[in-house]
Structure formats: C-alpha cells, structure tokens
C-alpha cells in the first residue's frame, strides 16, 4: 500500500495524460480514465486560464492555439509554487523564449517579461504616494539622510527591443489604431530602462534615461538621498527626483536603515 | 565634495524636487494624497476606455482565478486531454503576424 | 437595501443562520453602490490576497459579515502546510475579522508544486492523522475553529479504509473543527460512487455542522455512464433542494451559502437563489432542535 506521499507523487505524475498512468490499479470500480480526466482537465484549465490572465498581450501576440500549447508544456514543467495563482509565474517568459517559433521572435519573450512586471504591479498592495509636507519640514541633515521606500507596485526593469511599444500596441482597444501601431513597430529599436507602476488603478510605464534609472534604483534600494546623488549628474538631480515624486514612485521615506 | 557640502547639496536637491513635483501635480503638496487622487487630475475620457480594457485583460475585476469549482473545461471532451502537447509543434499565429509579416527571422 | 453605516464603523462579524451569497469580483461595484439586502457574504481567500481586491473586501466588510473560504491550504498534503500561505491567510483573517473560516477535505500540493485543484484523498488512518494535524495547526495559527467542507469527488481508492462521513466525524472528534455540509457535493459524489445521500447525512455529527453550501452542477456522459461534475455554474438542482430540506429537518437552520463561481450571473439572480434558500430555512429550519430532543 503506498504511503500518502508516494500516492500524491504518483497522482501528480498521472495528471499528465502523456504519462500513460491512469491509476487503474488503485482506483475503485470502473472508469479510472474518465474519472481521472475530470481532474486532468480541471488542473490544465485552471492553470491555463491563470497564465492567460497574467500574460494577455503575449497570448494575443502568439494566438490562442500556440498559447494553449505553450501553457500546457509549462504547466507540466513548472507548476505553481504558490496557492495564489496571481503569482503564476515568473518563469513563464524565460520558458517561452525556449519554445520553437519564439526563438526566432525574441520580442515575444521580451513582451512576456514586461507583462510579468505589469501583472505584479496590478496586484501589489495599495498605498498612498509619499506626500511633500513632511519632507519639506525636515532639517537639511535629515533630508540628506532620507531613505525612500518604493511604492509596492513599482518595478524597475530593463526591456529588450521595442517591448513597451508592442505591449501598448497589442492592448490598444481601438482595432484600427492597434493594426496601425503594430504595423509601425520597428523590431530593431533598442530596449529601454523602464519604471512600471500602478497609478489610479491602471499601469503607467516611464522610460528613463539610464542614469535616471540608476538613480531610481539606488533610491528604491534604500540608499540615503546623499548616497544616491553621488551617481547622478548634479544638473539633472532635482528634475529627476521631482519627476519620481510627482509620478508616485515612493510610498514612504524614513531616516531608519532598512532591516 | 565634502560631507557638509554633500548634505547641503542633497537638501537643496530635495527642496527643488519638491517644488518641481508640486508644479507637476498641484495636489502633491498635500500629505499622503492617494495616487488615485493624483491621477484623477490628469486622466481624460479617452484614457478611461483604455484603462477599463487593460484591467479586464488582466482579470482584475472579472475573473476569480482561485476558485473551488471544477470549470466548464472539465466538461470538455477527452480528445483535448489525450493530445500530447509535445507531439506537435505550433507556429505563433496571432498579432505577431502583423508585426513581422508572419516571416521567421533567420537564426 | 441594507442600512448604510457610519463611516469607519464596521458591522459585527457573526454570520447569522440565514442565506448568504458568494462575493464575486464582477459584483464588487454593485455591492458598494447598491448595498444589496443579503445577510452575509463568503469570499474565496486566495482571490483577496492581491492589493486591489483586498482593499475592496475591506471596504465591503464594513457593511457585511464575511466568511472566508479557502481553497489553497491543502490540508491533506503529506508534505505539510505551506508556511507562507498560512501566514498570508492569518494576516487576511486579522484584517477582515471573518465570522467563519473554512477549507476543504482535499489536497493540492506535493513536492512544493501546487496543482490548483481539490484533489481526492485516500481515506486511511494515515490520511486522517495528517489532515487532523494540519487542521489543528491551522486553527492554532488562525486563532479560531475552522469548518471543513465535504468534497465533490470523481474517484475512490481501493486502499481507503474509512468511509467519508466517518472520516469527517473522526476529524471533528480529534480537532474540534466544524463542518460545512455542501449539499451539492453530496449529490455529486453520491451520483459518482453510488452512495445513499440521505444515509450520508445521518452519519455526520449534528453539533459540528456550521454551514450549508448550495450550488449547481452538470452531468456529463462518459463511457461509464453519467458523471456528475461540480461546476458551480448553474442554479441549484431540484435534488439538491430536496436533500437540503432533509438536512434542515435533521440539523436545523445554519448559515446557508449560494455558491456560483463560473458563468457568474447577475447579482439579482444570485439574490433570488438566496431567497429560495431563505424560504426553506424559514419553513423547515424551525423544529430541527425539537426533533433532536424527541
């Protein structure tokens, strides 16, 4: 008689029809195949749907059939690590990049990587953006020692190629505009350093100059303002910091070191 | 830059930045204004349709992805399940065709 | 319409023995705008861990008692509970103050892979020990008794030694947990395995029943005949209403949930289903305790 753990391992393997194991020797009565099929269909259906909800632009790019096939392979290779399916799955873009038909179209995997950041930004906790009054009232020594904490939805990432332009084009609800924008995509365009965040219930994408991106990263990593400024061209610092504050990159600022 | 000058420079940057931020979105000066409120000042009607579409695509308001029901996909025929996903290769055939004309790049 | 409350004032947590509906994402706005007249709501915990959804549940909680129904704890997983998931649920419970907390007799994870379904347990002494251990741990972490729901199953195992109602009764005895009696799941499982649904009811400990679930299901033709599939995408079926009436006579009134998860209908349709349950609660719920004393 199998232990529960052994049984559960076997059941998981049997969920893949390709395994050929229908558990007929341990299932009571007739019809193991049909009975197991309910579970197989449900697991595949639920996880496919979850992937489709986190990567809708990617699904539009490759079409429903291809997405379903890629998802089915991914689900077997890399099932969720968490019971919260909003988190499924960070590894999907890299997996997609290895699929036949995608290796020759790297921009598809790049869009999927951007989508992961977008989806996680959408699901991040709510938090008000940092307000000015408290900061202005601090003494200069304190201002220099401030450490900013990023808004929970902020993601700083590097894209390859025109991933942002493609993402925006694919998700454009107006059909004519979408077709026009897709046709205008220049696949040779360079990648960007980007801030992704959720503002007012929707997503804002801010392409940043590399030095501004490095500045934002340093601040989000918890460096003091004085430390972060060391890497910034002095003439740009105020404008960049002002833009970060106005766009809601930060939720809080404190004088304490992060744990 | 000396330590003192570093501190003074940082303070002056912050002061200038706060002014810039307040000019960019007037409500910023208020303590703890929600991002939602800040955004409302800029958002146009045209954005609203796009926002709704985006939110729907990512299932924010429309889909419970963690549920205890066996979905309608379990009522699907056996045929779908019997197909081995590794036994055939599909070519991407969606919006990517509008981008690269359906042609595979070399390499 | 429910009475609007003073700002910042939260209604009490206790779930009354009346009809409730599942809170679903498409209905959040309607709940905020219209304040439908329903006594309580149940939310799937895992759908409310993300920021925006949690914020909405928090706001709705001001006006409605909430029951938190989880699908992801995987109480039957031999490898143990997912610590992070338990911690996230604990935080959700702390913020929401639910009147009831529940999970399923099922497993869903193995080797740290979460399989996104309520998978069937072989019902053995080993399973009982494992599930009981996890129920105790969950109750300890969450700070209150939890209700365990009887599952809809599509297969049974030859090496099972304990029938499902006895398994649930033993679980209650070992852990002090309660039960959700999902009437639809009994009909589905009974149909799939040839059980006597009424007899199943009779073997459950009366005092442990904390809630009823009612839902719709489908029938599917297979090579072994009709399988019932727990789809939660239909009105409650006639045989489920009938078994519900039997349950009410036997157990008395309990909070009763209309569970409709797929092909979600309008709020009005859900409220109408709840009204059907409420009528039966009113007519048949009384006298359950008297029958007990007789």
């Amino acid at each position: 008689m199998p232990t529960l753990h052994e049984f559960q391992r076997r059941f998981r393997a049997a969920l893949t029809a390709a395994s050929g194991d229908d558990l007929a020797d341990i299932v009571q009565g007739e019809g193991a195949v049909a009975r197991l099929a309910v579970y197989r269909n449900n697991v595949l259906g639920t996880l496919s749907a979850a992937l489709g909800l986190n990567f809708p632009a990617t699904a539009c790019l490759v079409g429903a059939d291809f997405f379903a096939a890629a998802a089915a392979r991914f689900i077997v290779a890399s099932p969720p690590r968490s019971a919260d399916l909003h988190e499924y799955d960070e590894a999907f873009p890299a997996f997609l990049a290895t699929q036949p038909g995608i290796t020759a179209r790297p921009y598809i995997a790049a869009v999927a990587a951007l989508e992961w950041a977008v989806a996680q930004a959408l699901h991040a906790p709510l938090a008000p953006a940092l307000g000015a009054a408290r900061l202005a009232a601090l003494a200069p020594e304190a201002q220099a020692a401030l450490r900013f904490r990023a808004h929970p939805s902020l993601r700083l990432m590097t894209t390859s190629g025109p991933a942002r332009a493609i993402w925006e084009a694919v998700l454009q609800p107006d059909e004519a505009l979408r077709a026009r924008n897709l046709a205008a995509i220049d696949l040779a365009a360079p990648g960007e350093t980007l801030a992704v965040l959720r503002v007012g219930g929707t997503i804002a994408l801010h392409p940043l100059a590399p030095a501004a991106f490095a500045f934002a990263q340093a601040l989000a990593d918890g460096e003091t303002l004085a430390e972060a400024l060391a890497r910034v061209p002095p003439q740009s610092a105020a404008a960049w910091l002002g833009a970060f504050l106005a766009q809601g990159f930060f939720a809080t600022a404190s004088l304490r070191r992060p744990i | 830059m000396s330590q003192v000058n570093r501190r003074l420079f940082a303070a002056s940057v912050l002061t200038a930045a706060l002014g810039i931020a307040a000019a960019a979105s007037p409500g910023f000066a208020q303590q703890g204004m929600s991002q939602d409120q800040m955004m409302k000042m800029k958002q146009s009607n045209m954005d609203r349709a796009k926002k709704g579409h985006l939110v729907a695509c990512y299932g924010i308001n429309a889909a419970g992805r963690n549920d205890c029901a066996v979905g309608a996909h379990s009522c699907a025929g056996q045929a779908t399940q019997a197909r081995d996903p590794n036994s055939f290769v599909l070519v991407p055939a969606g919006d990517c065709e509008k981008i690269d004309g359906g042609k595979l790049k070399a390499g | 319409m429910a009475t609007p409350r003073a700002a910042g004032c939260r209604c009490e947590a206790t779930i009354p023995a009346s009809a409730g509906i599942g809170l679903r994402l498409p209905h959040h706005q309607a709940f905020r705008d219209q304040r439908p007249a329903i006594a309580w709501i149940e939310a799937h915990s895992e759908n409310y861990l993300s920021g925006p959804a949690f914020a909405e549940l928090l706001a709705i909680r001001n006006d409605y008692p909430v029951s938190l129904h989880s699908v992801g704890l995987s109480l039957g997983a031999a490898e143990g509970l997912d610590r992070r998931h338990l911690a996230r649920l604990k935080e959700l419970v702390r913020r929401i103050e639910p009147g009831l907390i529940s999970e399923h007799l099922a497993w869903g994870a193995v080797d740290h892979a979460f399989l996104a379904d309520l998978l069937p347990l072989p019902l053995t002494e080993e399973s009982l020990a494992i599930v009981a251990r996890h129920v105790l741990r969950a109750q300890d972490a969450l700070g209150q008794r939890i209700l365990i729901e009887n599952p809809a199953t599509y297969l049974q195992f030859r090496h099972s030694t304990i029938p499902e109602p006895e398994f649930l009764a033993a679980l209650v005895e070992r852990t002090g947990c309660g039960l959700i009696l999902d009437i639809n799941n009994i009909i589905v499982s009974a149909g799939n395995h040839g059980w006597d649904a009424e007899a199943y009811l009779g073997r459950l400990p009366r005092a442990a029943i904390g809630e009823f679930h009612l839902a719709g299901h489908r029938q599917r033709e297979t090579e072994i005949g009709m399988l019932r599939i727990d789809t939660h995408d239909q009105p409650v079926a006639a045989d489920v209403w009938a078994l519900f009436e039997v349950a009410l006579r036997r157990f008395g009134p309990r909070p009763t949930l209309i569970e409709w998860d797929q092909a979600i209908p309008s709020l009005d349709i859900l409220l109408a289903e709840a009204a059907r349950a409420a009528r039966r609660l009113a007519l048949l719920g009384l006298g359950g305790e008297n029958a007990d004393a007789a």
Side-chain angles (χ1 to χ4, degrees):
Chain A
M1 197 182 85
T3 64
L4 186 61
H5 208 156
E6 286 164 354
F7 157 78
Q8 288 174 342
R9 286 198 169 115
R10 184 180 170 192
F11 195 99
R12 171 191 171 178
L15 280 173
T16 313
S19 72
D21 181 6
D22 293 327
L23 307 178
D25 58 315
I26 60 171
V27 166
Q28 229 182 78
E30 304 269 289
V33 178
R35 295 175 185 277
L36 189 56
V38 178
Y39 296 103
R40 285 169 170 166
N41 282 340
N42 199 46
V43 171
L44 182 65
T46 300
L47 293 179
S48 269
L51 284 170
L53 288 174
N54 274 350
F55 299 95
T58 306
C60 287
L61 272 176
V62 302
D65 287 346
F66 186 93
F67 192 85
R73 288 180 198 141
F74 182 71
I75 286 160
V76 172
S78 194
R81 284 156 293 181
S82 148
D84 177 3
L85 294 182
H86 295 91
E87 300 179 337
Y88 192 50
D89 191 272
E90 183 171 16
F92 186 63
F95 174 84
L96 204 56
T98 67
Q99 296 298 290
I102 303 296
T103 48
R105 293 181 169 91
Y107 65 87
I108 292 178
V111 170
L114 175 56
E115 281 216 279
W116 174 250
V118 163
Q120 296 316 293
L122 282 169
H123 303 142
L126 267 59
L130 184 53
R134 260 182 49 231
L135 299 183
L138 292 171
E141 307 80 63
Q143 290 179 333
L146 274 174
R147 298 178 196 272
F148 291 87
R149 184 167 308 137
H151 189 272
S153 74
L154 180 70
R155 299 282 181 289
L156 295 167
M157 64 176 297
T158 305
T159 61
S160 62
R164 176 175 64 98
I166 297 173
W167 179 83
E168 286 176 349
V170 169
L171 290 181
Q172 168 59 248
D174 180 293
E175 278 285 343
L177 199 53
R178 193 164 112 254
R180 203 156 57 236
N181 292 347
L182 284 170
I185 296 288
D186 173 16
L187 286 175
E192 297 172 308
T193 43
L194 212 55
V196 178
L197 79 163
R198 184 193 59 226
V199 182
T202 188
I203 289 293
L205 298 180
H206 300 288
L208 300 173
F213 182 81
F215 185 31
Q217 261 181 332
L219 294 171
D221 282 346
E223 289 185 18
T224 65
L225 180 56
E227 285 165 356
L229 281 171
R231 48 180 99 233
V232 178
Q235 69 276 15
S236 309
W240 288 349
L241 183 58
F244 299 163
L245 290 167
Q247 283 150 5
F249 281 26
F250 305 118
T252 58
S254 97
L255 294 168
R256 267 184 257 116
R257 269 180 195 284
I259 297 158
Chain B
M1 218 191 266
S2 72
Q3 275 284 59
V4 173
N5 286 343
R6 230 195 273 270
R7 270 188 237 125
L8 289 174
F9 174 62
S12 73
V13 165
L14 182 61
T15 305
L18 291 171
I20 290 167
S25 43
F28 173 70
Q30 290 172 42
Q31 174 88 30
M33 188 182 206
S34 72
Q35 282 185 323
D36 217 64
Q37 290 167 307
M38 279 164 60
M39 203 51 195
K40 270 185 180 120
M41 296 182 184
K42 296 194 221 172
Q43 199 155 27
S44 68
N45 281 328
M46 210 170 60
D47 284 341
R48 222 159 272 158
K50 209 172 154 193
K51 167 186 166 179
H53 180 69
L54 186 89
V55 154
C57 284
Y58 288 91
I60 299 303
N61 291 331
R65 60 197 80 189
N66 308 283
D67 276 326
C68 43
V70 165
H73 23 254
S74 282
C75 293
Q78 288 271 76
T80 347
Q81 255 314 103
R83 192 173 71 185
D84 173 6
N86 290 312
S87 70
F88 62 95
V89 173
L90 284 175
V91 175
D95 282 341
C96 63
E97 293 179 302
K98 299 193 178 89
I99 294 175
D100 62 33
K103 286 174 278 194
L104 282 174
K105 272 164 56 178
Chain C
M1 201 161 108
T3 322
R5 311 197 68 79
C9 169
R10 176 181 272 194
C11 79
E12 66 153 78
T14 310
I15 308 285
S18 50
I21 63 174
L23 178 69
R24 299 291 173 261
L25 290 161
H27 296 146
H28 284 182
Q29 199 58 53
F31 261 86
R32 305 287 301 277
D33 296 341
Q34 297 162 32
R35 289 209 188 80
I38 191 74
W40 61 282
I41 55 173
E42 185 163 284
H44 288 154
S45 314
E46 286 78 10
N47 283 334
Y48 290 91
L49 298 173
S50 83
F54 169 73
E56 291 178 355
L57 181 62
L58 205 59
I60 292 171
R61 173 67 186 89
N62 282 335
D63 297 325
Y64 296 89
V66 168
S67 162
L68 282 176
H69 187 59
S70 215
V71 302
L73 253 188
S74 194
L75 293 171
E79 68 182 9
L81 295 179
D82 182 324
R83 262 195 215 135
R84 176 177 170 255
H85 196 65
L86 185 57
R88 294 181 85 192
L89 283 180
K90 180 175 174 169
E91 179 60 12
L92 184 65
V93 164
R94 186 184 73 82
R95 298 295 304 277
I96 295 296
E97 296 177 313
L100 289 171
I101 304 175
S102 51
E103 245 289 356
H104 299 81
L105 179 63
W107 66 281
V110 62
D111 294 334
H112 305 292
F114 178 72
L115 302 171
D117 196 10
L118 300 169
L119 299 174
L121 273 171
L123 300 179
T124 62
E125 288 298 336
E126 184 199 8
S127 300
L128 180 57
I130 287 169
V131 175
R133 181 164 69 235
H134 294 157
V135 169
L136 285 169
R137 217 179 121 212
Q139 292 185 143
D140 191 57
L142 301 176
Q144 63 192 81
R145 176 183 93 142
I146 68 178
L147 306 182
I148 303 301
E149 179 180 325
N150 58 293
T153 56
Y154 307 97
L155 45 78
Q156 293 181 278
F157 300 102
R158 295 184 198 198
H159 65 289
S160 291
T161 54
I162 310 171
E164 193 176 282
E166 279 71 25
F167 191 99
L168 289 167
L171 192 59
V172 165
E173 212 211 331
R174 289 191 190 193
T175 66
C177 71
L179 297 176
I180 290 183
L181 194 51
D182 188 310
I183 307 292
N184 178 65
N185 287 355
I186 297 177
I187 293 292
V188 168
S189 296
N192 292 338
H193 310 311
W195 298 347
D196 179 331
E198 276 195 44
Y200 182 106
L201 285 186
R203 285 142 65 189
L204 293 171
R206 179 193 314 270
I209 311 287
E211 184 181 337
F212 295 121
H213 271 189
L214 299 171
H217 66 273
R218 288 180 184 244
Q219 304 208 43
R220 183 177 122 201
E221 186 65 58
T222 71
E223 59 267 31
I224 47 159
M226 287 299 239
L227 265 188
R228 295 193 187 229
I229 317 273
D230 182 29
T231 54
H232 291 188
D233 66 350
Q234 308 275 303
V236 176
D239 47 3
V240 176
W241 284 124
L243 189 63
F244 178 52
E245 289 166 14
V246 174
L248 280 177
R249 283 192 211 95
R250 179 168 179 83
F251 299 118
R254 295 288 187 275
T256 300
L257 182 79
I258 299 295
E259 209 180 13
W260 198 322
D261 300 339
Q262 307 283 336
I264 295 167
S266 69
L267 195 49
D268 287 342
I269 289 176
L270 280 184
L271 294 172
E273 282 281 86
R276 286 186 197 101
R279 276 196 290 281
R280 285 164 172 87
L281 277 162
L283 280 172
L284 296 161
L286 301 165
E289 273 84 44
N290 294 340
D292 186 30

